[in-house]
Amino acid sequence: EAGVVQSPRYKIIEKKQPVAFWCNPISGHNTLYWYRQNLGQGPELLIRYENEEAVDDSQLPKDRFSAERLKGVDSTLKIQPAELGDSAVYLCASSLGTGGQAFFGQGTRLTVV
Amino acid sequence: QKEVEQDPGPLSVPEGAIVSLNCTYSNSAFQYFMWYRQYSRKGPELLMYTYSSGNKEDGRFTAQVDKSSKYISLFIRDSQPSDSATYLCAMKGSNDYKLSFGAGTTVTVRA
């Protein structure tokens, strides 16, 4: 069975440009998370979905970040415009319900120059 | 002060040594404790999952939780070069969904 799939793996963009990341969770997992991992740090939650509903986006910088999970399966995370401080690894994870163990994708490494 | 503090490392040990990794935390509501392994340029991979206090063993890996001291540990016996990775502790409460992570400890096992 395929794990959590993310694309692209790497992205380099100039500041002020938009960027989008895509995530396909494990089949049947209704809970989806986006985390951001800065260099030398642990992941920090940005947003959590239960099916297609964003039930916690309190840590998402809403002035420039947006996310969607159409049909409760795939999800996209967008940044517009990107800033230098957004350089990080963006991780998607999924679980079978909120109490289930979270499985992570390989992440998208974003570099803003 | 961060909710979860992890010994920063890095650690470099010879093959066959015992690796000891530690985290402390401040939130007494945490009930579930996890250790993730993260290879370079990969996502975190769940290694150990424990509930409340006590020990859990899985092969060469042993996880310990001491809730009275708010302290958790991971021991790797007979370490192998393939164990070289960053190890992240993570924890959450009973009614939580959000994982609180430590910053990670990078381990290198020398052949």
Side-chain angles (χ1 to χ4, degrees):
Chain A
E1 181 182 348
V4 177
V5 179
Q6 291 187 245
S7 69
R9 289 293 314 279
Y10 306 93
K11 190 74 176 178
I12 301 174
I13 62 170
E14 294 183 343
K15 62 182 181 182
K16 300 185 182 179
Q17 294 302 306
V19 65
F21 316 124
W22 175 81
C23 173
N24 179 240
I26 292 173
S27 178
H29 281 193
N30 58 321
T31 305
L32 184 146
Y33 312 79
W34 282 103
Y35 282 82
R36 177 169 59 188
Q37 186 175 21
N38 291 311
L39 187 64
Q41 300 295 316
E44 295 181 333
L45 182 68
L46 291 174
I47 189 169
R48 175 177 71 102
Y49 281 92
E50 292 293 338
N51 299 304
E52 65 273 10
E53 183 182 0
V55 294
D56 184 1
D57 61 357
S58 58
Q59 303 302 311
L60 192 71
K62 297 181 186 59
D63 57 335
R64 297 182 300 105
F65 285 66
S66 64
E68 61 181 10
R69 191 184 184 196
L70 300 176
K71 300 182 181 178
V73 181
D74 294 0
S75 177
T76 57
L77 178 68
K78 298 177 182 178
I79 308 174
Q80 182 171 10
E83 296 179 353
L84 295 176
D86 296 331
S87 295
V89 176
Y90 290 83
L91 293 161
C92 179
S94 70
S95 66
L96 195 60
T98 55
Q101 297 175 12
F103 294 86
F104 284 83
Q106 295 197 78
T108 296
R109 183 177 297 271
L110 174 68
T111 302
V112 182
V113 298
Chain B
Q1 182 186 2
K2 292 184 178 180
E3 210 168 31
V4 180
E5 298 280 358
Q6 184 168 358
D7 289 352
L11 290 179
S12 179
V13 301
E15 185 174 358
I18 295 175
V19 177
S20 173
L21 303 166
N22 307 295
C23 289
T24 58
Y25 62 95
S26 56
N27 189 340
S28 58
F30 287 149
Q31 295 281 347
Y32 296 89
F33 303 91
M34 287 140 275
W35 287 94
Y36 283 83
R37 178 175 61 196
Q38 187 172 26
Y39 290 116
S40 180
R41 300 188 181 276
K42 299 289 187 182
E45 169 194 14
L46 183 65
L47 201 58
M48 298 288 280
Y49 187 99
T50 55
Y51 171 72
S52 197
S53 285
N55 295 354
K56 182 176 181 179
E57 188 172 320
D58 184 1
R60 297 183 295 110
F61 298 89
T62 300
Q64 291 184 349
V65 176
D66 182 349
K67 289 189 65 182
S68 62
S69 302
K70 297 189 177 66
Y71 188 88
I72 70 170
S73 301
L74 178 72
F75 299 96
I76 308 173
R77 292 184 302 279
D78 188 25
S79 57
Q80 304 295 310
S82 59
D83 295 326
S84 298
T86 295
Y87 292 81
L88 298 156
C89 63
M91 46 200 80
K92 70 184 186 78
S94 292
N95 298 316
D96 272 342
Y97 55 86
K98 187 183 80 167
L99 293 174
S100 294
F101 282 88
T105 302
T106 298
V107 175
T108 301
V109 181
R110 308 185 305 271

